[in-house]
Amino acid sequence: MSHSPLPSSPALRIADDGHLPVTHGRIMDFAADPIAGMRRMWAWHGEVSALQEATQRIYFVFGPEYTRQVLSDSQRFHSSFFAIRGPRKSAQRRVTSGLLTMNGDQHKEQRRFVMGPFQKRAIAAYHDHVAGHSQDLVRSWQPGTTRDVAADMTHYMLRLTSSILFGLDQPELAYNIGELTEKWVALNHRIGPAALTSDPGLVAEYDLLLQSAEDLEKAVLEMIRLRRGGHLGHDVLSLLIRAHDEMGNVSDDQLIGHIVLLFGAAHLTSAHTLTWTLFLLAQHPEIMRQLNDELQSSLVGSSPTHEQVDALPVLDRVMKESMRVLPASAYSQRIAAEPVQLGPFEVSPTSVIVFSQFITHHMPELFPQPEKFLPERWETISPSPYAYLPFGAGPRMCIGAALGMMQLKISLPTFLKTRKVTVVPGSEINGRVISTMLFPTDPVPMLIEENDGRFEASHVTGNIHSLVDLPAVAPQILRRAA
Ligand code: HEM
């Protein structure tokens, strides 16, 4: 077993001679493998530290105390999510002008505007969309076939997110926006880390990014025009246009930025959470059995009803634990807007401060045996919002958290009520952080069968063993794989 658990909280290491917890190294090495980089910073220095290359420093905060300091103070710690904003008046500048690049009063005001379609009352209306899409997925999962579940979940969420954001009456246009956003997000992920260090190799792709932003903006504008031309529905875009036209305090550029951000923020985070949860369940047969008992005894139809979504306790614990151990958002960052004291550091303006769901969720003093997938721990724990933060915390917490949870809690039961998923024995499963997200590498092959209630884990290889401590697989199953 190659997993490398985090040591319990090392005391903050400030040498007696006053030396600060600083490691000298290449910032690009952190960008190339953020989990390894953050694990090192945690093991060497504890809850607050800095990585320094020449005169540039990146700060790291782990654990609830410093995470709270950074995330709750949006005055001093600004968001600056997109590394590449593009030239003034470019499509790239406009499509990156959503909430993630706003701060202060502008962020507060625009967040109130964008949140409308995500209130509990509003998201109830999306229940049938989600149930319908998840039933379509089940129909496409023919028993006896092998599916790449990572690809299926990405495609599934692309369609579902497109329909919730843009409506169902123009599916092809909606899916086209989805696909263009996916391509544009991938380019940002590829080029973004290079902007930290101005890597000359990746800057060559810059033109491609600008073109991709133009294509995306064109498609979003066409959809906005269509909706304004008298086709307002109940999708998120229609609700935003209505509010936009009534309030008049949102520019068209900002509307485009919000729409693109909503898609980018919703699609892959939800897809990866679904893939990781299916994988963890498939590799933990006893927990799959408990969930199966709950689904078979509680679900009358093929999907949970609106009332049932939050009334399935095993499912609730499984989701919480899956998003703890393999959080789709592994880390994120803030920029200091003014000089600020952070532990022993006097942080200067424009410095980058990284916080991490992945590291905080794996601290043994917060979550005993943190590398294990143990949904039952949620019967007795109730961590603070800064100790458990799959959706972030504070004034910039995810506005789609309730919608995201609702989608997950309808999709998984629908998939698993009638289908059994088993990882293809011998598969290599890897997790890799791209930009800030923990991606399952493609493919994650699973055998789809009718659900007969008999579940078995499979022997798998890959760096997944360094991320989660999977139970040993029975020898006869190992032999079958060989
Ligand atoms: C499982 C699914 C999801 C996960 C794990 C997730 C995670 C997150 C996290 C961690 C943040 C905070 C980032 C930071 O503080 O730097 C965030 C912000 C955000 N999320 Fe989500 N998210 C999910 C689904 C969604 C959905 C479905 C939507 C909307 C359709 C959405 C829209 C947003 C927006 C707009 C923000 C920015 C909020 C702001 O800056 O004020 N997310 N999300």
Side-chain angles (χ1 to χ4, degrees):
M1 177 84 29
S2 61
H3 81 92
S4 45
L6 294 180
S8 59
S9 182
L12 184 63
R13 284 198 200 132
I14 308 173
D16 290 344
D17 59 4
H19 278 153
L20 292 169
V22 175
T23 289
H24 293 265
R26 279 165 30 103
I27 288 170
M28 206 53 199
D29 288 346
F30 160 69
D33 189 349
I35 288 190
M38 292 188 297
R39 276 178 162 162
R40 276 194 301 272
M41 297 307 284
W42 164 257
W44 291 341
H45 302 298
E47 295 182 357
V48 57
S49 59
L51 173 63
Q52 181 156 354
E53 178 173 5
T55 56
Q56 194 184 357
R57 260 191 193 175
I58 292 189
Y59 296 89
F60 293 85
V61 293
F62 306 126
E65 186 188 332
Y66 288 107
T67 304
R68 178 194 301 273
Q69 188 192 339
V70 173
L71 293 194
S72 64
D73 185 351
S74 54
Q75 194 85 10
R76 291 194 181 84
F77 299 98
H78 279 185
S79 164
S80 159
F81 189 80
F82 288 97
I84 302 175
R85 293 296 317 276
R88 267 174 205 287
K89 301 204 170 145
S90 67
Q92 173 72 10
R93 180 66 69 103
R94 289 187 290 276
V95 295
T96 55
S97 43
L99 278 187
L100 280 179
T101 40
M102 292 177 179
N103 287 290
D105 288 345
Q106 187 193 33
H107 172 256
K108 237 185 247 163
E109 183 192 295
Q110 297 279 315
R111 186 175 157 104
R112 218 173 301 129
F113 164 73
V114 180
M115 276 184 81
F118 298 97
Q119 307 292 355
K120 266 232 161 331
R121 229 173 332 109
I123 62 173
Y126 309 133
H127 174 277
D128 292 353
H129 274 0
V130 186
H133 276 270
S134 51
Q135 286 156 21
D136 287 348
L137 189 278
V138 171
R139 278 190 285 277
S140 75
W141 272 6
Q142 284 303 310
T145 57
T146 297
R147 306 289 311 187
D148 172 1
V149 168
D152 278 359
M153 292 303 104
T154 304
H155 188 66
Y156 169 71
M157 280 313 306
L158 178 83
R159 300 215 138 209
L160 179 55
T161 307
S162 307
S163 76
I164 288 182
L165 289 188
F166 306 121
L168 282 172
D169 55 330
Q170 303 283 340
E172 291 320 315
L173 186 51
Y175 300 153
N176 184 40
I177 297 179
E179 276 158 17
L180 289 170
T181 313
E182 194 173 17
K183 190 174 148 202
W184 174 78
V185 167
L187 275 168
N188 275 281
H189 287 170
R190 247 199 346 256
I191 305 173
L196 276 178
T197 55
S198 56
D199 177 333
L202 289 172
V203 173
E205 292 198 82
Y206 184 63
D207 286 346
L208 214 57
L209 177 72
L210 297 188
Q211 183 58 50
S212 160
E214 277 177 29
D215 298 343
L216 173 58
E217 182 185 48
K218 211 165 126 211
V220 172
L221 277 171
E222 193 184 334
M223 187 60 116
I224 293 177
R225 259 195 299 275
L226 240 158
R227 291 271 168 261
R228 280 221 172 100
H231 297 280
L232 288 182
H234 295 287
D235 52 281
V236 170
L237 176 60
S238 293
L239 299 181
L240 287 181
I241 290 177
R242 250 189 225 115
H244 169 271
D245 294 348
E246 278 161 23
M247 290 161 67
N249 56 351
V250 184
S251 72
D252 276 6
D253 289 359
Q254 286 166 345
L255 185 60
I256 293 167
H258 291 323
I259 291 294
V260 170
L261 166 64
L262 286 172
F263 194 96
H267 165 223
L268 288 177
T269 44
S270 306
H272 298 338
T273 303
L274 280 172
T275 302
W276 286 131
T277 309
L278 285 168
F279 171 78
L280 288 166
L281 283 168
Q283 292 300 100
H284 292 81
E286 184 44 43
I287 296 164
M288 183 72 107
R289 245 186 304 280
Q290 289 168 22
L291 179 61
N292 188 49
D293 288 349
E294 178 172 272
L295 299 184
Q296 302 306 335
S297 62
S298 312
L299 296 195
V300 179
S302 25
S303 302
T305 59
H306 177 60
E307 291 69 33
Q308 271 180 324
V309 168
D310 289 319
L312 297 166
V314 179
L315 176 70
D316 186 61
R317 294 195 286 268
V318 162
M319 288 314 316
K320 282 186 177 135
E321 182 67 350
S322 160
M323 295 172 87
R324 180 194 68 78
V325 77
L326 296 173
S329 173
Y331 79 95
S332 192
Q333 64 191 43
R334 293 289 185 270
I335 308 280
E338 53 185 80
V340 58
Q341 192 72 34
L342 193 60
F345 294 107
E346 285 163 24
V347 173
S348 52
T350 76
S351 302
V352 172
I353 299 120
V354 167
F355 66 94
S356 170
Q357 286 86 347
F358 187 90
I359 299 293
T360 300
H361 289 182
H362 284 77
M363 288 184 176
E365 57 271 54
L366 298 175
F367 303 99
Q369 303 186 72
E371 315 298 319
K372 286 193 193 301
F373 177 66
L374 298 172
E376 62 271 26
R377 75 170 82 238
W378 292 93
E379 288 172 37
T380 52
I381 61 168
S382 180
S384 84
Y386 296 90
Y388 177 68
L389 60 161
F391 292 103
R396 307 200 77 105
M397 190 186 157
C398 177
I399 64 171
L403 172 64
M405 282 313 282
M406 186 259 250
Q407 291 176 341
L408 300 169
K409 286 179 164 184
I410 293 174
S411 303
L412 275 169
T414 310
F415 302 163
L416 296 174
K417 171 97 188 282
T418 57
R419 296 290 183 267
K420 176 167 93 171
V421 292
T422 312
V423 182
V424 171
S427 299
E428 182 179 336
I429 308 293
N430 294 301
R432 196 156 81 87
V433 175
I434 302 176
S435 181
T436 59
M437 270 183 274
L438 183 57
F439 277 62
T441 48
D442 230 344
V444 176
M446 292 201 190
L447 178 64
I448 309 293
E449 291 170 288
E450 294 283 3
N451 183 358
D452 60 2
R454 295 164 60 220
F455 306 104
E456 273 181 1
S458 301
H459 168 65
V460 297
T461 62
N463 85 345
I464 190 65
H465 294 290
S466 73
L467 301 174
V468 52
D469 187 0
L470 298 170
V473 175
Q476 68 273 20
I477 299 173
L478 274 177
R479 266 201 304 280
R480 219 180 298 153

